[in-house]
Amino acid sequence: MNKIYIISGPAGVGKSTTAKGLAEQFDHSAYIEGDLINHMVVGGYLPPWKSRDSLLLVWENIADLTINFVKVNKNVIIDYVAFPEEVEKLSQKIYAEVQNVEIIYVILWVDSDELLRRDALRIKENQMGVRCLELMNEFESKGIDKRFFYNITYLQPADSEEIFLNIRENPSFKY
């Protein structure tokens, strides 16, 4: 059974590092970076948090790519800010096209001081500053089932194998 891992969380939490590393754990995998899809739009670009149409387009493309990769027997790792309503729409579209697939939804989480510290370590043009905290507040305000949250505040890069194993094996992350 192929698996689709949706690695979410606020900007700066470590989604990309975790998702890329997780993708490398499989012999057959595909890594979908939502920000790359978002930045394909050049003329008329608006950030997804300022344009519902932009956000919907990104998710449509993520869904189509995911389906295509699953159909050729790849585990798919999606790296993007994903709220439950987006995960639900994605799941419905995938299950309508593909059987025998399991969806794993993980919201990486750290405390706010650690989030800002991690964001400050990113290269300048990738730093999100206050947007990190806005996203953190948005996740907290949605009443999301706590089972999807994975607090990695005190985990370091040296703990990556533990993180990957927990994401792969923890049944509470199954969507």
Side-chain angles (χ1 to χ4, degrees), residues 7-18 106-122 129 131-140 146 148-157 159 163:
I7 307 300
S8 185
V13 75
K15 289 184 302 294
S16 297
T17 301
T18 302
V106 181
I107 302 167
L108 298 179
W109 201 254
V110 296
D111 65 37
S112 57
D113 290 339
E114 178 64 9
L115 184 63
L116 292 174
R117 186 190 74 76
R118 290 181 185 193
D119 183 54
L121 294 174
R122 298 162 73 166
R131 180 72 183 136
C132 298
L133 298 177
E134 291 170 354
L135 282 166
M136 183 175 255
N137 290 336
E138 193 169 350
F139 274 104
E140 289 174 328
K146 296 295 181 200
F148 295 116
F149 285 84
Y150 182 16
N151 192 323
I152 58 170
T153 298
Y154 302 106
L155 296 175
Q156 303 299 318
D159 300 315
I163 294 169

mmCIF file of all heavy atoms in Angstrom, residues 7-18 106-122 129 131-140 146 148-157 159 163:
data_model
loop_
_atom_site.group_PDB
_atom_site.id
_atom_site.type_symbol
_atom_site.label_atom_id
_atom_site.label_comp_id
_atom_site.label_asym_id
_atom_site.label_seq_id
_atom_site.Cartn_x
_atom_site.Cartn_y
_atom_site.Cartn_z
ATOM 1 N N ILE A 7 3.096 16.768 5.263
ATOM 2 C CA ILE A 7 3.896 17.357 6.333
ATOM 3 C C ILE A 7 3.566 18.843 6.365
ATOM 4 O O ILE A 7 3.901 19.592 5.453
ATOM 5 C CB ILE A 7 5.406 17.132 6.101
ATOM 6 C CG1 ILE A 7 5.711 15.645 5.866
ATOM 7 C CG2 ILE A 7 6.212 17.702 7.266
ATOM 8 C CD1 ILE A 7 5.336 14.719 7.011
ATOM 9 N N SER A 8 2.888 19.244 7.431
ATOM 10 C CA SER A 8 2.383 20.602 7.551
ATOM 11 C C SER A 8 2.950 21.269 8.794
ATOM 12 O O SER A 8 3.757 20.700 9.511
ATOM 13 C CB SER A 8 0.847 20.562 7.603
ATOM 14 O OG SER A 8 0.316 21.868 7.604
ATOM 15 N N GLY A 9 2.513 22.486 9.017
ATOM 16 C CA GLY A 9 2.932 23.268 10.171
ATOM 17 C C GLY A 9 3.213 24.693 9.739
ATOM 18 O O GLY A 9 3.236 25.003 8.546
ATOM 19 N N PRO A 10 3.433 25.569 10.705
ATOM 20 C CA PRO A 10 3.705 26.968 10.358
ATOM 21 C C PRO A 10 5.041 27.126 9.642
ATOM 22 O O PRO A 10 5.920 26.259 9.731
ATOM 23 C CB PRO A 10 3.711 27.683 11.712
ATOM 24 C CG PRO A 10 3.845 26.630 12.744
ATOM 25 C CD PRO A 10 3.397 25.340 12.150
ATOM 26 N N ALA A 11 5.194 28.216 8.933
ATOM 27 C CA ALA A 11 6.451 28.517 8.240
ATOM 28 C C ALA A 11 7.588 28.513 9.246
ATOM 29 O O ALA A 11 7.457 29.052 10.338
ATOM 30 C CB ALA A 11 6.349 29.880 7.555
ATOM 31 N N GLY A 12 8.692 27.870 8.883
ATOM 32 C CA GLY A 12 9.879 27.869 9.720
ATOM 33 C C GLY A 12 9.984 26.711 10.688
ATOM 34 O O GLY A 12 11.003 26.548 11.352
ATOM 35 N N VAL A 13 8.967 25.864 10.772
ATOM 36 C CA VAL A 13 8.948 24.794 11.767
ATOM 37 C C VAL A 13 9.888 23.641 11.404
ATOM 38 O O VAL A 13 10.318 22.893 12.273
ATOM 39 C CB VAL A 13 7.509 24.288 12.006
ATOM 40 C CG1 VAL A 13 7.028 23.431 10.859
ATOM 41 C CG2 VAL A 13 7.376 23.564 13.319
ATOM 42 N N GLY A 14 10.203 23.482 10.133
ATOM 43 C CA GLY A 14 11.059 22.386 9.692
ATOM 44 C C GLY A 14 10.383 21.435 8.730
ATOM 45 O O GLY A 14 10.817 20.295 8.560
ATOM 46 N N LYS A 15 9.328 21.903 8.073
ATOM 47 C CA LYS A 15 8.584 21.054 7.127
ATOM 48 C C LYS A 15 9.476 20.532 6.015
ATOM 49 O O LYS A 15 9.484 19.337 5.732
ATOM 50 C CB LYS A 15 7.420 21.827 6.492
ATOM 51 C CG LYS A 15 6.275 22.130 7.401
ATOM 52 C CD LYS A 15 5.125 22.800 6.666
ATOM 53 C CE LYS A 15 5.489 24.083 5.989
ATOM 54 N NZ LYS A 15 5.870 25.180 6.879
ATOM 55 N N SER A 16 10.202 21.429 5.361
ATOM 56 C CA SER A 16 11.006 21.023 4.205
ATOM 57 C C SER A 16 12.108 20.057 4.596
ATOM 58 O O SER A 16 12.307 19.032 3.935
ATOM 59 C CB SER A 16 11.598 22.245 3.508
ATOM 60 O OG SER A 16 10.560 23.055 2.996
ATOM 61 N N THR A 17 12.810 20.352 5.651
ATOM 62 C CA THR A 17 13.883 19.467 6.110
ATOM 63 C C THR A 17 13.324 18.091 6.432
ATOM 64 O O THR A 17 13.880 17.064 6.020
ATOM 65 C CB THR A 17 14.568 20.068 7.356
ATOM 66 O OG1 THR A 17 15.100 21.352 7.008
ATOM 67 C CG2 THR A 17 15.676 19.172 7.869
ATOM 68 N N THR A 18 12.214 18.062 7.152
ATOM 69 C CA THR A 18 11.601 16.792 7.542
ATOM 70 C C THR A 18 11.055 16.056 6.325
ATOM 71 O O THR A 18 11.293 14.850 6.167
ATOM 72 C CB THR A 18 10.484 17.035 8.573
ATOM 73 O OG1 THR A 18 11.053 17.705 9.704
ATOM 74 C CG2 THR A 18 9.835 15.737 9.003
ATOM 75 N N VAL A 106 0.557 15.126 9.309
ATOM 76 C CA VAL A 106 1.377 15.504 10.452
ATOM 77 C C VAL A 106 1.566 17.018 10.465
ATOM 78 O O VAL A 106 1.988 17.605 9.455
ATOM 79 C CB VAL A 106 2.766 14.826 10.397
ATOM 80 C CG1 VAL A 106 3.607 15.218 11.603
ATOM 81 C CG2 VAL A 106 2.636 13.317 10.285
ATOM 82 N N ILE A 107 1.242 17.613 11.590
ATOM 83 C CA ILE A 107 1.490 19.048 11.773
ATOM 84 C C ILE A 107 2.688 19.172 12.709
ATOM 85 O O ILE A 107 2.590 18.869 13.899
ATOM 86 C CB ILE A 107 0.260 19.759 12.389
ATOM 87 C CG1 ILE A 107 -0.964 19.564 11.504
ATOM 88 C CG2 ILE A 107 0.566 21.242 12.611
ATOM 89 C CD1 ILE A 107 -2.276 19.953 12.166
ATOM 90 N N LEU A 108 3.821 19.554 12.125
ATOM 91 C CA LEU A 108 5.006 19.760 12.950
ATOM 92 C C LEU A 108 4.786 20.990 13.811
ATOM 93 O O LEU A 108 4.238 21.991 13.348
ATOM 94 C CB LEU A 108 6.247 19.930 12.073
ATOM 95 C CG LEU A 108 6.609 18.740 11.185
ATOM 96 C CD1 LEU A 108 7.843 19.064 10.351
ATOM 97 C CD2 LEU A 108 6.825 17.476 12.000
ATOM 98 N N TRP A 109 5.251 20.906 15.057
ATOM 99 C CA TRP A 109 4.952 21.969 16.007
ATOM 100 C C TRP A 109 6.154 22.246 16.897
ATOM 101 O O TRP A 109 6.873 21.330 17.285
ATOM 102 C CB TRP A 109 3.765 21.555 16.869
ATOM 103 C CG TRP A 109 3.083 22.708 17.507
ATOM 104 C CD1 TRP A 109 3.152 23.075 18.821
ATOM 105 C CD2 TRP A 109 2.247 23.669 16.871
ATOM 106 N NE1 TRP A 109 2.380 24.203 19.036
ATOM 107 C CE2 TRP A 109 1.814 24.583 17.842
ATOM 108 C CE3 TRP A 109 1.818 23.838 15.559
ATOM 109 C CZ2 TRP A 109 0.980 25.655 17.556
ATOM 110 C CZ3 TRP A 109 0.979 24.898 15.269
ATOM 111 C CH2 TRP A 109 0.577 25.792 16.254
ATOM 112 N N VAL A 110 6.377 23.511 17.179
ATOM 113 C CA VAL A 110 7.376 23.944 18.154
ATOM 114 C C VAL A 110 6.791 25.121 18.922
ATOM 115 O O VAL A 110 5.802 25.718 18.484
ATOM 116 C CB VAL A 110 8.714 24.366 17.489
ATOM 117 C CG1 VAL A 110 9.389 23.187 16.796
ATOM 118 C CG2 VAL A 110 8.533 25.510 16.513
ATOM 119 N N ASP A 111 7.400 25.471 20.053
ATOM 120 C CA ASP A 111 6.899 26.650 20.756
ATOM 121 C C ASP A 111 7.284 27.908 19.976
ATOM 122 O O ASP A 111 8.136 27.870 19.083
ATOM 123 C CB ASP A 111 7.343 26.687 22.223
ATOM 124 C CG ASP A 111 8.842 26.821 22.420
ATOM 125 O OD1 ASP A 111 9.500 27.532 21.643
ATOM 126 O OD2 ASP A 111 9.359 26.223 23.376
ATOM 127 N N SER A 112 6.646 29.014 20.269
ATOM 128 C CA SER A 112 6.793 30.229 19.454
ATOM 129 C C SER A 112 8.218 30.775 19.448
ATOM 130 O O SER A 112 8.700 31.242 18.406
ATOM 131 C CB SER A 112 5.804 31.312 19.892
ATOM 132 O OG SER A 112 5.970 31.613 21.254
ATOM 133 N N ASP A 113 8.923 30.715 20.572
ATOM 134 C CA ASP A 113 10.303 31.196 20.598
ATOM 135 C C ASP A 113 11.193 30.364 19.685
ATOM 136 O O ASP A 113 12.030 30.892 18.956
ATOM 137 C CB ASP A 113 10.868 31.173 22.027
ATOM 138 C CG ASP A 113 10.231 32.232 22.918
ATOM 139 O OD1 ASP A 113 9.681 33.220 22.377
ATOM 140 O OD2 ASP A 113 10.280 32.062 24.152
ATOM 141 N N GLU A 114 10.997 29.047 19.724
ATOM 142 C CA GLU A 114 11.783 28.157 18.865
ATOM 143 C C GLU A 114 11.430 28.374 17.394
ATOM 144 O O GLU A 114 12.298 28.334 16.520
ATOM 145 C CB GLU A 114 11.561 26.691 19.259
ATOM 146 C CG GLU A 114 12.290 25.680 18.408
ATOM 147 C CD GLU A 114 13.810 25.747 18.478
ATOM 148 O OE1 GLU A 114 14.371 26.482 19.332
ATOM 149 O OE2 GLU A 114 14.451 25.066 17.657
ATOM 150 N N LEU A 115 10.171 28.628 17.113
ATOM 151 C CA LEU A 115 9.754 28.886 15.738
ATOM 152 C C LEU A 115 10.465 30.119 15.186
ATOM 153 O O LEU A 115 11.006 30.085 14.072
ATOM 154 C CB LEU A 115 8.238 29.069 15.670
ATOM 155 C CG LEU A 115 7.645 29.246 14.279
ATOM 156 C CD1 LEU A 115 7.883 28.015 13.420
ATOM 157 C CD2 LEU A 115 6.156 29.549 14.375
ATOM 158 N N LEU A 116 10.484 31.188 15.950
ATOM 159 C CA LEU A 116 11.163 32.405 15.501
ATOM 160 C C LEU A 116 12.668 32.190 15.382
ATOM 161 O O LEU A 116 13.311 32.717 14.464
ATOM 162 C CB LEU A 116 10.846 33.567 16.437
ATOM 163 C CG LEU A 116 9.391 34.046 16.391
ATOM 164 C CD1 LEU A 116 9.147 35.109 17.461
ATOM 165 C CD2 LEU A 116 9.017 34.556 15.005
ATOM 166 N N ARG A 117 13.238 31.401 16.276
ATOM 167 C CA ARG A 117 14.669 31.100 16.193
ATOM 168 C C ARG A 117 14.982 30.336 14.912
ATOM 169 O O ARG A 117 15.912 30.674 14.181
ATOM 170 C CB ARG A 117 15.112 30.279 17.411
ATOM 171 C CG ARG A 117 16.630 30.049 17.476
ATOM 172 C CD ARG A 117 17.011 29.031 18.536
ATOM 173 N NE ARG A 117 16.695 27.664 18.141
ATOM 174 C CZ ARG A 117 17.409 26.937 17.263
ATOM 175 N NH1 ARG A 117 18.471 27.444 16.676
ATOM 176 N NH2 ARG A 117 17.046 25.697 16.976
ATOM 177 N N ARG A 118 14.172 29.340 14.605
ATOM 178 C CA ARG A 118 14.389 28.542 13.386
ATOM 179 C C ARG A 118 14.193 29.396 12.138
ATOM 180 O O ARG A 118 14.938 29.268 11.171
ATOM 181 C CB ARG A 118 13.452 27.334 13.363
ATOM 182 C CG ARG A 118 13.805 26.291 14.387
ATOM 183 C CD ARG A 118 12.880 25.104 14.324
ATOM 184 N NE ARG A 118 13.169 24.160 15.392
ATOM 185 C CZ ARG A 118 12.689 22.931 15.443
ATOM 186 N NH1 ARG A 118 11.878 22.493 14.495
ATOM 187 N NH2 ARG A 118 13.004 22.136 16.451
ATOM 188 N N ASP A 119 13.181 30.251 12.157
ATOM 189 C CA ASP A 119 12.946 31.126 11.005
ATOM 190 C C ASP A 119 14.152 32.033 10.768
ATOM 191 O O ASP A 119 14.551 32.252 9.629
ATOM 192 C CB ASP A 119 11.680 31.958 11.213
ATOM 193 C CG ASP A 119 11.350 32.822 10.009
ATOM 194 O OD1 ASP A 119 11.244 32.278 8.888
ATOM 195 O OD2 ASP A 119 11.212 34.041 10.183
ATOM 196 N N ALA A 120 14.736 32.542 11.826
ATOM 197 C CA ALA A 120 15.893 33.444 11.712
ATOM 198 C C ALA A 120 17.116 32.736 11.135
ATOM 199 O O ALA A 120 18.005 33.395 10.577
ATOM 200 C CB ALA A 120 16.220 34.048 13.069
ATOM 201 N N LEU A 121 17.166 31.416 11.227
ATOM 202 C CA LEU A 121 18.289 30.650 10.674
ATOM 203 C C LEU A 121 18.168 30.441 9.160
ATOM 204 O O LEU A 121 19.133 30.051 8.516
ATOM 205 C CB LEU A 121 18.389 29.282 11.367
ATOM 206 C CG LEU A 121 18.752 29.299 12.840
ATOM 207 C CD1 LEU A 121 18.663 27.890 13.427
ATOM 208 C CD2 LEU A 121 20.130 29.896 13.061
ATOM 209 N N ARG A 122 16.984 30.682 8.617
ATOM 210 C CA ARG A 122 16.766 30.512 7.169
ATOM 211 C C ARG A 122 17.461 31.639 6.418
ATOM 212 O O ARG A 122 17.711 32.711 6.972
ATOM 213 C CB ARG A 122 15.263 30.511 6.873
ATOM 214 C CG ARG A 122 14.538 29.359 7.541
ATOM 215 C CD ARG A 122 13.067 29.571 7.631
ATOM 216 N NE ARG A 122 12.418 29.438 6.339
ATOM 217 C CZ ARG A 122 11.122 29.315 6.172
ATOM 218 N NH1 ARG A 122 10.323 29.321 7.211
ATOM 219 N NH2 ARG A 122 10.611 29.196 4.987
ATOM 220 N N GLY A 129 9.273 35.784 9.337
ATOM 221 C CA GLY A 129 9.039 36.692 10.458
ATOM 222 C C GLY A 129 7.698 36.485 11.124
ATOM 223 O O GLY A 129 7.339 35.374 11.517
ATOM 224 N N ARG A 131 4.816 36.271 9.987
ATOM 225 C CA ARG A 131 3.918 35.323 9.306
ATOM 226 C C ARG A 131 3.980 33.945 9.977
ATOM 227 O O ARG A 131 2.977 33.229 10.009
ATOM 228 C CB ARG A 131 4.264 35.232 7.817
ATOM 229 C CG ARG A 131 3.387 34.286 7.037
ATOM 230 C CD ARG A 131 1.978 34.807 6.836
ATOM 231 N NE ARG A 131 1.170 33.816 6.151
ATOM 232 C CZ ARG A 131 -0.061 33.490 6.470
ATOM 233 N NH1 ARG A 131 -0.687 34.122 7.429
ATOM 234 N NH2 ARG A 131 -0.714 32.570 5.812
ATOM 235 N N CYS A 132 5.142 33.575 10.519
ATOM 236 C CA CYS A 132 5.261 32.304 11.245
ATOM 237 C C CYS A 132 4.268 32.255 12.399
ATOM 238 O O CYS A 132 3.566 31.254 12.587
ATOM 239 C CB CYS A 132 6.673 32.141 11.812
ATOM 240 S SG CYS A 132 7.984 32.077 10.606
ATOM 241 N N LEU A 133 4.221 33.336 13.155
ATOM 242 C CA LEU A 133 3.326 33.385 14.319
ATOM 243 C C LEU A 133 1.868 33.468 13.899
ATOM 244 O O LEU A 133 0.991 32.897 14.557
ATOM 245 C CB LEU A 133 3.699 34.559 15.219
ATOM 246 C CG LEU A 133 5.109 34.503 15.819
ATOM 247 C CD1 LEU A 133 5.392 35.752 16.641
ATOM 248 C CD2 LEU A 133 5.305 33.240 16.640
ATOM 249 N N GLU A 134 1.594 34.163 12.791
ATOM 250 C CA GLU A 134 0.221 34.216 12.275
ATOM 251 C C GLU A 134 -0.261 32.819 11.920
ATOM 252 O O GLU A 134 -1.405 32.449 12.230
ATOM 253 C CB GLU A 134 0.144 35.133 11.050
ATOM 254 C CG GLU A 134 0.342 36.596 11.357
ATOM 255 C CD GLU A 134 0.495 37.467 10.108
ATOM 256 O OE1 GLU A 134 0.556 36.931 8.982
ATOM 257 O OE2 GLU A 134 0.569 38.688 10.288
ATOM 258 N N LEU A 135 0.599 32.047 11.264
ATOM 259 C CA LEU A 135 0.221 30.673 10.914
ATOM 260 C C LEU A 135 0.047 29.816 12.158
ATOM 261 O O LEU A 135 -0.878 29.000 12.237
ATOM 262 C CB LEU A 135 1.263 30.054 9.982
ATOM 263 C CG LEU A 135 1.166 30.502 8.531
ATOM 264 C CD1 LEU A 135 2.421 30.130 7.758
ATOM 265 C CD2 LEU A 135 -0.066 29.903 7.869
ATOM 266 N N MET A 136 0.913 30.002 13.125
ATOM 267 C CA MET A 136 0.794 29.264 14.381
ATOM 268 C C MET A 136 -0.576 29.550 15.011
ATOM 269 O O MET A 136 -1.292 28.630 15.424
ATOM 270 C CB MET A 136 1.927 29.660 15.325
ATOM 271 C CG MET A 136 1.946 28.912 16.618
ATOM 272 S SD MET A 136 3.403 29.330 17.605
ATOM 273 C CE MET A 136 4.349 27.834 17.333
ATOM 274 N N ASN A 137 -0.952 30.819 15.049
ATOM 275 C CA ASN A 137 -2.254 31.205 15.602
ATOM 276 C C ASN A 137 -3.397 30.620 14.791
ATOM 277 O O ASN A 137 -4.422 30.213 15.350
ATOM 278 C CB ASN A 137 -2.376 32.727 15.671
ATOM 279 C CG ASN A 137 -1.470 33.331 16.723
ATOM 280 O OD1 ASN A 137 -1.082 32.670 17.677
ATOM 281 N ND2 ASN A 137 -1.106 34.589 16.531
ATOM 282 N N GLU A 138 -3.233 30.569 13.476
ATOM 283 C CA GLU A 138 -4.281 30.000 12.627
ATOM 284 C C GLU A 138 -4.460 28.511 12.912
ATOM 285 O O GLU A 138 -5.595 28.024 13.016
ATOM 286 C CB GLU A 138 -3.962 30.241 11.151
ATOM 287 C CG GLU A 138 -5.133 29.960 10.248
ATOM 288 C CD GLU A 138 -4.921 30.438 8.817
ATOM 289 O OE1 GLU A 138 -3.956 31.153 8.516
ATOM 290 O OE2 GLU A 138 -5.765 30.063 7.976
ATOM 291 N N PHE A 139 -3.355 27.780 13.054
ATOM 292 C CA PHE A 139 -3.464 26.358 13.411
ATOM 293 C C PHE A 139 -4.169 26.199 14.750
ATOM 294 O O PHE A 139 -5.058 25.357 14.896
ATOM 295 C CB PHE A 139 -2.077 25.702 13.468
ATOM 296 C CG PHE A 139 -1.582 25.211 12.140
ATOM 297 C CD1 PHE A 139 -0.621 25.919 11.446
ATOM 298 C CD2 PHE A 139 -2.063 24.035 11.590
ATOM 299 C CE1 PHE A 139 -0.154 25.477 10.225
ATOM 300 C CE2 PHE A 139 -1.602 23.572 10.364
ATOM 301 C CZ PHE A 139 -0.639 24.304 9.678
ATOM 302 N N GLU A 140 -3.795 27.016 15.738
ATOM 303 C CA GLU A 140 -4.382 26.912 17.074
ATOM 304 C C GLU A 140 -5.864 27.264 17.077
ATOM 305 O O GLU A 140 -6.647 26.692 17.831
ATOM 306 C CB GLU A 140 -3.626 27.807 18.053
ATOM 307 C CG GLU A 140 -2.234 27.288 18.372
ATOM 308 C CD GLU A 140 -1.415 28.233 19.232
ATOM 309 O OE1 GLU A 140 -1.584 29.469 19.116
ATOM 310 O OE2 GLU A 140 -0.594 27.723 20.015
ATOM 311 N N LYS A 146 -5.771 17.128 18.190
ATOM 312 C CA LYS A 146 -4.391 17.176 18.700
ATOM 313 C C LYS A 146 -3.549 15.983 18.257
ATOM 314 O O LYS A 146 -2.324 16.037 18.287
ATOM 315 C CB LYS A 146 -4.385 17.276 20.234
ATOM 316 C CG LYS A 146 -4.998 18.557 20.758
ATOM 317 C CD LYS A 146 -4.179 19.764 20.353
ATOM 318 C CE LYS A 146 -4.783 21.037 20.898
ATOM 319 N NZ LYS A 146 -4.349 22.217 20.199
ATOM 320 N N PHE A 148 -2.887 14.988 15.441
ATOM 321 C CA PHE A 148 -2.099 15.275 14.244
ATOM 322 C C PHE A 148 -0.863 16.131 14.536
ATOM 323 O O PHE A 148 -0.007 16.289 13.677
ATOM 324 C CB PHE A 148 -2.962 15.966 13.185
ATOM 325 C CG PHE A 148 -4.074 15.099 12.669
ATOM 326 C CD1 PHE A 148 -5.394 15.451 12.872
ATOM 327 C CD2 PHE A 148 -3.798 13.926 11.984
ATOM 328 C CE1 PHE A 148 -6.428 14.661 12.401
ATOM 329 C CE2 PHE A 148 -4.819 13.107 11.514
ATOM 330 C CZ PHE A 148 -6.136 13.484 11.726
ATOM 331 N N PHE A 149 -0.779 16.697 15.730
ATOM 332 C CA PHE A 149 0.350 17.563 16.081
ATOM 333 C C PHE A 149 1.526 16.730 16.568
ATOM 334 O O PHE A 149 1.358 15.810 17.377
ATOM 335 C CB PHE A 149 -0.058 18.561 17.176
ATOM 336 C CG PHE A 149 -0.920 19.677 16.683
ATOM 337 C CD1 PHE A 149 -2.297 19.507 16.554
ATOM 338 C CD2 PHE A 149 -0.372 20.909 16.341
ATOM 339 C CE1 PHE A 149 -3.106 20.538 16.096
ATOM 340 C CE2 PHE A 149 -1.176 21.939 15.893
ATOM 341 C CZ PHE A 149 -2.543 21.755 15.769
ATOM 342 N N TYR A 150 2.700 17.079 16.097
ATOM 343 C CA TYR A 150 3.928 16.411 16.508
ATOM 344 C C TYR A 150 4.884 17.495 16.999
ATOM 345 O O TYR A 150 5.448 18.237 16.194
ATOM 346 C CB TYR A 150 4.521 15.633 15.334
ATOM 347 C CG TYR A 150 5.772 14.845 15.624
ATOM 348 C CD1 TYR A 150 6.192 14.553 16.924
ATOM 349 C CD2 TYR A 150 6.540 14.350 14.582
ATOM 350 C CE1 TYR A 150 7.333 13.814 17.165
ATOM 351 C CE2 TYR A 150 7.680 13.612 14.812
ATOM 352 C CZ TYR A 150 8.071 13.342 16.111
ATOM 353 O OH TYR A 150 9.220 12.615 16.342
ATOM 354 N N ASN A 151 5.025 17.587 18.315
ATOM 355 C CA ASN A 151 5.864 18.629 18.903
ATOM 356 C C ASN A 151 7.330 18.227 18.809
ATOM 357 O O ASN A 151 7.752 17.243 19.420
ATOM 358 C CB ASN A 151 5.469 18.888 20.357
ATOM 359 C CG ASN A 151 6.115 20.148 20.899
ATOM 360 O OD1 ASN A 151 7.252 20.475 20.586
ATOM 361 N ND2 ASN A 151 5.379 20.865 21.718
ATOM 362 N N ILE A 152 8.081 19.001 18.044
ATOM 363 C CA ILE A 152 9.506 18.725 17.845
ATOM 364 C C ILE A 152 10.368 19.851 18.416
ATOM 365 O O ILE A 152 11.519 20.009 18.038
ATOM 366 C CB ILE A 152 9.822 18.480 16.353
ATOM 367 C CG1 ILE A 152 9.427 19.670 15.489
ATOM 368 C CG2 ILE A 152 9.148 17.190 15.866
ATOM 369 C CD1 ILE A 152 9.911 19.604 14.050
ATOM 370 N N THR A 153 9.814 20.601 19.367
ATOM 371 C CA THR A 153 10.530 21.737 19.952
ATOM 372 C C THR A 153 11.914 21.338 20.440
ATOM 373 O O THR A 153 12.884 22.040 20.204
ATOM 374 C CB THR A 153 9.724 22.346 21.122
ATOM 375 O OG1 THR A 153 8.479 22.829 20.625
ATOM 376 C CG2 THR A 153 10.478 23.497 21.782
ATOM 377 N N TYR A 154 12.013 20.214 21.116
ATOM 378 C CA TYR A 154 13.275 19.829 21.749
ATOM 379 C C TYR A 154 14.069 18.804 20.949
ATOM 380 O O TYR A 154 15.085 18.299 21.428
ATOM 381 C CB TYR A 154 13.005 19.329 23.169
ATOM 382 C CG TYR A 154 12.306 20.391 23.979
ATOM 383 C CD1 TYR A 154 10.959 20.283 24.294
ATOM 384 C CD2 TYR A 154 12.980 21.539 24.382
ATOM 385 C CE1 TYR A 154 10.302 21.276 25.009
ATOM 386 C CE2 TYR A 154 12.332 22.542 25.089
ATOM 387 C CZ TYR A 154 11.002 22.401 25.403
ATOM 388 O OH TYR A 154 10.365 23.396 26.093
ATOM 389 N N LEU A 155 13.619 18.523 19.738
ATOM 390 C CA LEU A 155 14.359 17.595 18.888
ATOM 391 C C LEU A 155 15.326 18.376 18.007
ATOM 392 O O LEU A 155 15.024 19.478 17.556
ATOM 393 C CB LEU A 155 13.396 16.758 18.045
ATOM 394 C CG LEU A 155 12.467 15.842 18.855
ATOM 395 C CD1 LEU A 155 11.484 15.144 17.937
ATOM 396 C CD2 LEU A 155 13.266 14.827 19.670
ATOM 397 N N GLN A 156 16.464 17.789 17.757
ATOM 398 C CA GLN A 156 17.523 18.414 16.971
ATOM 399 C C GLN A 156 17.704 17.660 15.661
ATOM 400 O O GLN A 156 17.196 16.541 15.505
ATOM 401 C CB GLN A 156 18.838 18.388 17.778
ATOM 402 C CG GLN A 156 18.751 19.054 19.131
ATOM 403 C CD GLN A 156 18.385 20.523 19.035
ATOM 404 O OE1 GLN A 156 18.890 21.243 18.186
ATOM 405 N NE2 GLN A 156 17.489 20.973 19.899
ATOM 406 N N PRO A 157 18.457 18.226 14.714
ATOM 407 C CA PRO A 157 18.731 17.500 13.466
ATOM 408 C C PRO A 157 19.286 16.085 13.701
ATOM 409 O O PRO A 157 19.002 15.177 12.928
ATOM 410 C CB PRO A 157 19.742 18.389 12.753
ATOM 411 C CG PRO A 157 19.400 19.775 13.227
ATOM 412 C CD PRO A 157 18.992 19.587 14.679
ATOM 413 N N ASP A 159 18.268 14.055 15.700
ATOM 414 C CA ASP A 159 17.129 13.201 16.032
ATOM 415 C C ASP A 159 16.272 12.862 14.810
ATOM 416 O O ASP A 159 15.175 12.331 14.961
ATOM 417 C CB ASP A 159 16.247 13.889 17.080
ATOM 418 C CG ASP A 159 16.988 14.195 18.364
ATOM 419 O OD1 ASP A 159 17.719 13.315 18.852
ATOM 420 O OD2 ASP A 159 16.835 15.329 18.871
ATOM 421 N N ILE A 163 12.456 11.119 14.308
ATOM 422 C CA ILE A 163 11.330 11.866 13.739
ATOM 423 C C ILE A 163 10.719 11.090 12.579
ATOM 424 O O ILE A 163 9.491 10.901 12.517
ATOM 425 C CB ILE A 163 11.782 13.274 13.295
ATOM 426 C CG1 ILE A 163 12.183 14.102 14.524
ATOM 427 C CG2 ILE A 163 10.692 13.969 12.482
ATOM 428 C CD1 ILE A 163 12.893 15.405 14.192
#
